């Protein structure tokens, strides 16, 4: 059903739902009614003042969105529950215009950045002059010493070790543990063909990697990207090489949110996003 939508957020990424503690994937429920699919869960750690289930946006064609959302609202009210529909994209909100349902923009720190795949692959034009220079300098400095290659099972411990090293001194232990679990699961899912990962080696040492997925709505999701910054230009090089290998033919590339971190925001803006995925909430 996702393939029939233009949904651009990361919520329907399989790795995202299975990997983040918040979603409690093993107890997630779904139902099909007519031409719509509904998914709900009880979030671990809660979701604001929502006391019961949280519903993901109904998976359906845009012309059916209003009826599908109204079904959820009626279903919840019949049971006298308090619930939320989360992560509604702008096109869903537009489809609900005149319905009388109140939508509110959730935390802007969790809006996701969308990019043109061609921009990330080519880095063409004046606006990417600096990025091209970073990549060129990396390639020249480490010529003959670096290899960017597909992940293999033998790399797993090296990637986990690199992540552990990167996370040293970081304060948000809950998010780090979730992301570590996401990485381990994502690597497992590469063997199932559901995700993909690449590794950057310099002098035979793993010094960076990227992990991604392409959703059924043909949007690439960049889940994790890490590199050792002692190698000048490594992030720009990984970003471009990963794009060249995996983003041909996708509609958009979702590099997810900045979580309100100024450095991360600056980095994501430097790649000139073409759009942001705003996420609205209906509280029932």
């Amino acid at each position: 059903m996702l393939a029939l939508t233009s949904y651009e957020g990361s919520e329907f990424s399989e790795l995202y739902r299975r990997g983040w503690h918040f979603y409690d994937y093993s107890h997630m429920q779904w139902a099909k009614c007519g031409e719509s699919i509904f998914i709900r869960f009880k979030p671990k750690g809660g979701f604001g003042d929502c006391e019961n289930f949280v519903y993901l946006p109904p998976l359906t064609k845009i012309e059916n969105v209003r009826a599908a959302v109204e079904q959820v609202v009626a279903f919840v009210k019949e049971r006298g529950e308090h619930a939320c529909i989360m992560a509604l994209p702008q096109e869903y909100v537009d489809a609900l215009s005149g319905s009388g349902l109140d939508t509110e923009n959730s935390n802007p720190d969790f809006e996701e950045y969308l990019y043109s795949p061609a921009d990330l692959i080519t880095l063409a034009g004046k606006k990417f002059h600096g990025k091209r220079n970073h990549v060129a300098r990396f390639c020249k400095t480490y010529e003959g010493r670096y290899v960017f290659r597909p992940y293999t099972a033998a790399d797993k411990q090296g990637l986990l070790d690199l992540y552990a090293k990167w996370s040293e001194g970081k304060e948000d232990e809950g998010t780090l543990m979730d992301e570590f679990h996401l990485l381990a699961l994502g690597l497992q899912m590469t063997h199932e063909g559901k995700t993909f990962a690449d590794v950057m080696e310099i002098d035979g040492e793993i010094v960076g990697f990227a992990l991604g997925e392409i959703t059924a709505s043909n949007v690439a999701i960049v889940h994790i990207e890490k590199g050792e910054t002692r190698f000048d230009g490594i992030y720009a090089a990984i970003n471009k090489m990963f794009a060249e290998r995996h983003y041909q033919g996708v509609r958009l590339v979702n590099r997810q949110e900045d979580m309100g971190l100024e450095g991360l925001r600056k980095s994501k803006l430097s790649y000139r996003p073409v759009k942001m995925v705003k996420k609205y909430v209906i509280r029932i």
Side-chain angles (χ1 to χ4, degrees):
M1 187 65 77
L2 182 60
L4 300 178
T5 78
S6 58
Y7 195 82
E8 297 161 347
S10 58
E11 283 73 22
F12 292 107
S13 144
E14 183 173 345
L15 177 55
Y16 195 97
R17 285 179 290 116
R18 288 174 60 183
W20 285 109
H21 179 79
F22 171 76
Y23 284 95
D24 193 13
Y25 181 76
S26 62
H27 295 100
M28 193 171 264
Q29 301 174 348
W30 71 275
K32 187 174 188 299
C33 183
E35 297 184 9
S36 302
I37 289 177
F38 304 89
I39 299 174
R40 70 178 187 175
F41 63 99
K42 289 187 177 180
K44 290 188 175 180
F47 183 72
D49 59 358
C50 208
E51 299 175 8
N52 206 279
F53 284 102
V54 170
Y55 291 77
L56 290 177
L59 283 175
T60 193
K61 296 178 181 177
I62 195 66
E63 58 265 29
N64 299 330
V65 162
R66 180 166 171 169
V69 170
E70 287 175 343
Q71 278 182 287
V72 174
V73 172
F75 180 81
V76 171
K77 286 184 173 180
E78 275 178 22
R79 284 153 181 76
E81 298 175 348
H82 293 171
C84 297
I85 306 175
M86 65 170 279
L88 291 159
Q90 186 65 54
E91 56 266 32
Y92 276 42
V93 173
D94 293 343
L96 293 170
S97 177
S99 67
L101 294 171
D102 292 328
T103 59
E104 58 185 78
N105 197 356
S106 58
N107 192 334
D109 292 344
F110 295 98
E111 294 177 2
E112 294 177 332
Y113 292 75
L114 296 176
Y115 302 86
S116 157
D119 283 349
L120 299 182
I121 291 168
T122 66
L123 297 179
K126 185 177 180 180
K127 63 184 178 181
F128 292 117
H129 175 72
K131 298 294 184 188
R132 290 198 305 276
N133 283 346
H134 284 309
V135 175
R137 186 162 58 247
F138 176 89
C139 293
K140 182 177 180 180
T141 301
Y142 303 106
E143 185 177 4
R145 298 170 57 194
Y146 82 86
V147 176
F148 189 68
R149 58 170 178 78
Y151 165 82
T152 69
D155 299 318
K156 181 178 180 179
Q157 192 58 52
L159 268 62
L160 296 178
D161 290 345
L162 179 60
Y163 183 85
K165 182 178 179 181
W166 172 87
S167 66
E168 288 176 1
K170 303 290 193 302
E171 294 183 359
D172 192 347
E173 293 185 8
T175 299
L176 292 171
M177 288 300 296
D178 256 9
E179 193 173 49
F180 188 83
H181 173 66
L182 189 87
L183 171 59
L185 177 60
L187 296 178
Q188 175 186 319
M189 288 172 61
T190 63
H191 304 299
E192 303 165 13
K194 295 177 178 179
T195 58
F196 44 84
D198 290 317
V199 174
M200 179 70 78
E201 283 186 339
I202 295 181
D203 298 332
E205 176 190 0
I206 294 177
V207 296
F209 68 91
L211 171 71
E213 177 182 3
I214 296 175
T215 69
S217 57
N218 200 28
V219 174
I221 311 289
V222 181
H223 286 292
I224 306 178
E225 189 180 77
K226 299 290 182 249
E228 292 203 29
T229 53
R230 61 190 168 101
F231 299 102
D232 188 29
I234 189 169
Y235 274 102
I238 290 174
N239 192 313
K240 186 175 191 303
M241 294 175 190
F242 198 60
E244 289 172 337
R245 185 166 290 170
H246 299 288
Y247 301 163
Q248 307 282 351
V250 300
R251 289 196 299 119
L252 291 162
V253 179
N254 182 328
R255 291 182 59 80
Q256 301 197 58
E257 70 283 340
D258 60 42
M259 298 180 292
L261 301 174
E262 190 57 38
L264 194 54
R265 178 174 294 150
K266 183 177 179 181
S267 173
K268 289 180 185 289
L269 288 172
S270 71
Y271 277 96
R272 307 299 179 92
V274 296
K275 186 178 178 182
M276 300 294 291
V277 180
K278 293 186 176 183
K279 299 183 180 183
Y280 294 86
V281 175
I282 294 176
R283 302 185 187 279
I284 312 166

